[in-house]
Amino acid sequence: MLTSAKPISGQTAVIVGSRAPGRPWLDLAWQLFAVVTALVPVALVGHFLVRGQESFRSIGFDLRDRVRDLGRGTAIAAVIGGAGLLFYLGAHATGTNLTVDPSQLPDYWWRIPILVLVSAQNAILEEVIVLGYLNHRLDQLGWSVRQATATSALLRGSYHLYQGLGGFAGNVIMGVIFTYLYRRWGRIMPLVVAHTLIDTGALIGATYLLGKVSWLPG
């Protein structure tokens, strides 16, 4: 990315692409396989929690408070999603962010369902491991709230560096906000809902808007 002769803003990062171009049923099978296998680390977290005589309930990953979690998650998605879009546009305009193409899936009947599944998979994977489990374990190790928050947020930002420095900074900020809300509510489910809605809006929105509106880099 940084070593390329092409400027950062002129490079493109594809989030979800075809895994078997021209072969829709094989493509669908690979997409589903990728979603399922990506969630294996979440199952491993569940195993570690059970070994410690805990469960996913210890980090608030359950359906005990569905209505409140949905309401909180929707509100967070509206605020963070809108601010995130403005941040991305600003970072791209200053040349510190790649052009992000969220979806290059072919126009088959399963495109939208797969985008929703990928959004949910990303949300569960990130919030269970990087938000809930990491902070939970660091608390048990005696880390301060500031240290744990910084570690979780920087980790979240680090694996978004493929989007550019803007993607890194935006996700660090999101990580700090999500950690604060997790600690306030003691639950990651509202953040899983919010993350799923944000990613779903980005993936589906980009599918229909890229190349059709002038304000969205593409």
Side-chain angles (χ1 to χ4, degrees):
M1 180 183 70
L2 293 176
T3 57
S4 173
K6 202 173 186 179
I8 292 179
S9 59
Q11 301 175 44
T12 300
V14 178
I15 308 299
V16 184
S18 175
R19 294 177 180 271
R23 292 165 288 176
W25 288 106
L26 181 59
D27 200 345
L28 173 60
W30 276 114
Q31 297 291 345
L32 292 172
F33 178 77
V35 169
V36 173
T37 54
L39 291 175
V40 170
V42 176
L44 187 60
V45 164
H47 170 70
F48 288 150
L49 288 169
V50 170
R51 285 188 60 183
Q53 298 183 333
E54 297 178 294
S55 69
F56 280 127
R57 181 171 288 193
S58 304
I59 58 175
F61 184 54
D62 55 52
L63 300 176
R64 284 179 298 165
D65 203 358
R66 294 184 293 273
V67 175
R68 184 177 295 180
D69 289 341
L70 180 60
R72 285 173 168 173
T74 302
I76 297 167
V79 175
I80 299 293
L85 176 59
L86 293 176
F87 189 91
Y88 164 67
L89 294 175
H92 188 275
T94 60
T96 59
N97 217 80
L98 282 75
T99 297
V100 178
D101 187 349
S103 172
Q104 286 189 357
L105 288 182
D107 189 12
Y108 296 123
W109 63 268
W110 46 260
R111 177 170 63 178
I112 299 304
I114 286 296
L115 292 179
V116 174
L117 283 176
V118 169
S119 299
Q121 167 235 295
N122 287 336
I124 293 171
L125 185 65
E126 290 188 37
E127 306 314 331
V128 168
I129 298 176
V130 180
L131 179 62
Y133 185 68
L134 180 58
N135 278 281
H136 184 63
R137 285 294 185 239
L138 292 180
D139 287 347
Q140 292 176 331
L141 290 172
W143 287 41
S144 70
V145 172
R146 287 186 178 181
Q147 289 174 323
T149 298
T151 300
S152 178
L154 288 171
L155 177 59
R156 185 188 296 264
S158 68
Y159 56 77
H160 286 92
L161 271 168
Y162 69 92
Q163 298 177 7
L165 298 178
F168 169 78
N171 277 280
V172 168
I173 294 171
M174 178 177 169
V176 171
I177 295 172
F178 272 32
T179 302
Y180 168 78
L181 294 175
Y182 163 64
R183 289 185 176 279
R184 179 172 180 177
W185 296 329
R187 297 182 57 74
I188 64 164
M189 278 305 293
L191 294 317
V192 170
V193 171
H195 195 149
T196 300
L197 293 176
I198 291 170
D199 280 12
T200 299
L203 291 175
I204 295 178
T207 297
Y208 293 103
L209 293 179
L210 274 180
K212 299 181 178 66
V213 294
S214 59
W215 53 268
L216 191 61

